[in-house]
């Protein structure tokens, strides 16, 4: 158990660091947990990873809140709809074959990477071209979609949220990262409520992982705020590319 715990904590630290900057830390933490603890049910491992994810995301959100002004109306609409959808996704996690969903996600991620790479101003300057009502409506709709995905599958949720806040709602990278963290807190809480109520969390692993995820999030957030939007844009591309490779591997070889 000691060796397993050490490996899980290292993965949690790296995941917290990545997630604090551009999201997508679950792409490292979740596969690592599935690999290190293969003798447990998948639902139990997914539930276990939600505890460290919540810890790191909460710290990152707190750090961002000191330098970013939140759009509370958009945030409330997105977070509340995402919370409800994540509950449904967690409930259905054992009832839908993920192999049906992953090819679709792979195509979307490739398009995201291409768009971000060729649009040099993507996420660098904040643009607001929507009315307040339209922003709130769109944030609620995308909150439902991404919240459901987080409850059902999970990894990459932070990156999808950042993409929506930038491409759809007109935020810059730093602002998008800050708002995405709050929404991700809501989806993690929803999943934890469901998984804990059904006995699908291994707290002996989840609590130490949470400590290391917190540490990673602390350093990741400091680096993002120090380096600014251009650095986060590059990091975003790297994580999206890694996500594409991960999903492609799952689809082709599993």
């Amino acid at each position: 158990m000691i060796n397993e715990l050490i490996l899980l904590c290292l993965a949690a630290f790296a995941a917290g660091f990545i997630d604090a900057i551009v999201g997508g830390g679950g792409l490292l933490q979740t596969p690592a947990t599935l690999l290190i603890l293969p003798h447990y049910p998948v639902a139990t491992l997914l539930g276990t990873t939600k505890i460290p994810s919540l810890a790191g995301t909460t710290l990152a959100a707190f750090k961002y809140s000191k330098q970013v002004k939140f759009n509370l109306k958009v945030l409330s609409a997105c977070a509340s709809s995402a919370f409800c959808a994540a509950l449904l996704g967690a409930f259905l996690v054992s009832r839908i074959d993920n192999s049906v969903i992953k090819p679709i996600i792979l195509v979307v991620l490739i398009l995201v990477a291409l768009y971000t790479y060729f649009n040099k101003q993507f996420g660098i300057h904040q643009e607001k071209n929507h009315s307040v009502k339209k922003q709130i409506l769109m944030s609620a709709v995308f909150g439902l979609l991404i919240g459901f995905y987080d409850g059902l599958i999970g990894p990459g949720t932070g990156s999808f949220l950042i993409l929506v806040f930038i491409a759809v709602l007109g935020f810059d990278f730093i602002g998008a990262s800050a708002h995405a963290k709050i929404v991700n807190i809501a989806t993690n809480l929803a999943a934890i409520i469901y998984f804990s109520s059904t006995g699908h969390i291994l707290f002996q692993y989840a609590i130490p992982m949470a400590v290391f995820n917190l540490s990673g999030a602390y350093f990741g957030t400091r680096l993002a705020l120090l380096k600014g939007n251009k650095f986060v844009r590059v990091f975003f591309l790297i994580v999206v590319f890694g996500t594409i490779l991960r999903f492609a591997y799952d689809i082709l070889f599993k």
Side-chain angles (χ1 to χ4, degrees):
M1 177 178 172
I2 297 299
N3 291 336
E4 293 174 341
L5 185 57
I6 291 173
L7 292 174
L8 288 170
C9 287
L10 290 175
F13 178 87
F17 181 85
I18 293 170
D19 202 64
I21 301 175
V22 291
L27 293 164
L28 173 62
Q29 183 169 255
T30 301
T33 305
L34 294 171
L35 180 64
I36 296 168
L37 302 174
H39 45 288
Y40 288 100
V42 172
T44 299
L45 299 181
L46 291 176
T48 300
T49 60
K50 293 299 181 182
I51 298 291
S53 295
L54 175 64
T57 301
T58 301
L59 177 64
F62 175 74
K63 295 286 288 183
Y64 277 117
S65 68
K66 294 182 177 181
Q67 297 193 34
V68 174
K69 184 178 180 180
F70 289 109
N71 185 324
L72 296 180
K73 291 182 178 179
V74 168
L75 198 54
S76 298
C78 191
S80 57
S81 64
F83 178 89
C84 297
L87 278 175
L88 177 61
F91 173 74
L92 295 175
V93 69
S94 61
R95 295 169 172 79
I96 298 179
D97 189 353
N98 288 347
S99 63
V100 176
I101 303 173
K102 285 184 177 180
I104 299 174
I105 297 172
L106 177 62
V107 173
V108 172
L109 286 170
I110 292 173
L111 294 175
V112 169
L114 291 173
Y115 180 82
T116 306
Y117 179 77
F118 288 107
N119 185 355
K120 303 301 182 183
Q121 296 304 309
F122 178 71
I124 302 300
H125 300 293
Q126 188 174 24
E127 299 176 0
K128 294 183 178 180
N129 300 316
H130 308 300
S131 66
V132 174
K133 288 184 178 180
K134 189 175 182 180
Q135 267 197 328
I136 293 173
L137 176 62
M138 289 190 298
S139 63
V141 170
F142 281 101
L144 285 172
L145 295 174
I146 299 176
F148 179 76
Y149 167 82
D150 191 30
L152 185 67
I153 301 175
T157 297
S159 296
F160 287 133
L161 285 169
I162 289 173
L163 174 67
V164 167
F165 275 109
I166 293 172
V168 179
L169 300 176
F171 289 65
D172 63 13
F173 264 115
I174 297 297
S177 293
H179 284 72
K181 295 295 169 288
I182 301 296
V183 179
N184 217 337
I185 288 173
T187 59
N188 281 329
L189 279 174
I192 288 171
I193 289 171
Y194 174 78
F195 285 125
S196 62
S197 68
T198 53
H200 283 301
I201 296 181
L202 302 171
F203 287 99
Q204 69 270 31
Y205 293 110
I207 301 303
M209 288 174 68
V211 175
F212 277 80
N213 197 292
L214 274 170
S215 302
Y218 174 80
F219 290 108
T221 307
R222 288 195 64 179
L223 188 62
L225 292 173
L226 179 66
K227 296 293 185 179
N229 285 312
K230 290 184 178 179
F231 166 77
V232 178
R233 177 181 182 276
V234 173
F235 211 96
F236 180 81
L237 278 171
I238 293 171
V239 172
V240 169
F241 182 69
T243 308
I244 290 171
L245 293 179
R246 176 66 199 177
F247 274 109
Y249 176 82
D250 284 346
I251 292 167
L252 295 174
F253 299 107
K254 293 186 177 181

